[in-house]
Amino acid sequence: MKKLILIAALTLVNLSITKAQSQLNINLAESTVEWIGEKVTGSHSGNVTLKSAHFIMGDEHIEGGEFVMDMNSIKCTDIENPEYAGKLESHLKDNDFFGTENYPTARFSFAKVIFDGTSYLITGKMNIKGISQEITFPAQFHTEKGHLIADAVVKIDRTKHDIKYGSGAFFDDLGDSMILDDFTLNIHLVTE
């Protein structure tokens, strides 16, 4: 009998926790993901569109979420010549980099959210090219005109996702052609 009461109590607790959470969908048109890749002689930047995204809201703060990027949408915005920009975009889509024919999306799924009363520390799995790696980054949330807005700067080591092209960690004598292993995502998410 005690076991039945305990199971019933735990079920009620789980139901109340589930009911306390709600999904907040992200406005894909208002949200942005900017990428920055650096090499020895400079950098390139651009954007990638979101395919889907949402937060899981608890009683008082964000408790989870996920965003999915459409890797075939990757654009270079810092090269003014459309032909040269197109060449870089094609190279980023091929197997040297993101292999978008086989891996059309990249996904980040929240695993743990720490809220200290003013700021968030988010840990989760970043899946690129079918390889998941745990990353942790700080994020800032605020409300504007009734919408929850999140901003984060995320550093990703591309070599952990089997993107080794031009990496000094894997190839010698690259000189000025060396590309840094870390790239940056500047993420700006706006709820619907």
Side-chain angles (χ1 to χ4, degrees):
M1 185 66 174
K2 287 182 182 180
K3 284 185 181 180
L4 285 176
I5 293 171
L6 180 60
I7 290 170
L10 289 174
T11 301
L12 287 173
V13 168
N14 285 336
L15 286 174
S16 67
I17 289 171
T18 303
K19 287 181 182 178
Q21 293 182 328
S22 62
Q23 181 169 306
L24 298 175
N25 290 324
I26 302 301
N27 183 328
L28 303 181
E30 295 293 322
S31 301
T32 58
V33 178
E34 177 194 31
W35 59 266
I36 301 168
E38 296 180 83
K39 52 187 181 176
V40 173
T41 57
S43 66
H44 287 297
S45 61
N47 53 55
V48 61
T49 60
L50 289 166
K51 190 168 184 166
S52 65
H54 68 273
F55 295 128
I56 301 297
M57 185 74 184
D59 285 335
E60 297 179 9
H61 57 83
I62 297 295
E63 294 182 352
E66 178 180 82
F67 60 86
V68 179
M69 295 172 284
D70 176 0
M71 299 309 289
N72 280 303
S73 73
I74 196 162
K75 294 288 181 203
C76 173
T77 57
D78 73 305
I79 299 176
E80 292 182 13
N81 183 310
E83 181 183 348
Y84 291 128
K87 285 181 180 179
L88 177 56
E89 290 163 8
S90 292
H91 195 195
L92 291 172
K93 291 175 188 178
D94 79 17
N95 289 328
D96 282 342
F97 287 95
F98 296 104
T100 62
E101 186 175 335
N102 295 316
Y103 306 100
T105 61
R107 174 185 315 265
F108 177 77
S109 300
F110 292 50
K112 181 173 150 187
V113 178
I114 297 173
F115 179 63
D116 67 5
T118 56
S119 60
Y120 286 83
L121 192 64
I122 297 171
T123 298
K125 295 284 187 179
M126 179 64 79
N127 186 298
I128 299 172
K129 291 185 79 172
I131 300 169
S132 288
Q133 292 291 326
E134 185 174 275
I135 58 172
T136 300
F137 55 89
Q140 294 74 45
F141 287 79
H142 70 279
T143 303
E144 188 175 303
K145 297 180 182 176
H147 300 279
L148 185 64
I149 297 172
D151 290 292
V153 177
V154 181
K155 296 276 189 187
I156 299 168
D157 182 346
R158 64 189 175 94
T159 64
K160 291 183 177 180
H161 299 275
D162 197 31
I163 304 171
K164 299 173 184 171
Y165 181 87
S167 169
F170 293 91
F171 302 99
D172 295 326
D173 302 322
L174 292 170
D176 290 347
S177 299
M178 188 179 82
I179 301 169
L180 302 186
D181 292 343
D182 287 348
F183 69 93
T184 303
L185 295 179
N186 292 320
I187 301 169
H188 177 74
L189 304 178
V190 182
T191 60
E192 292 180 342

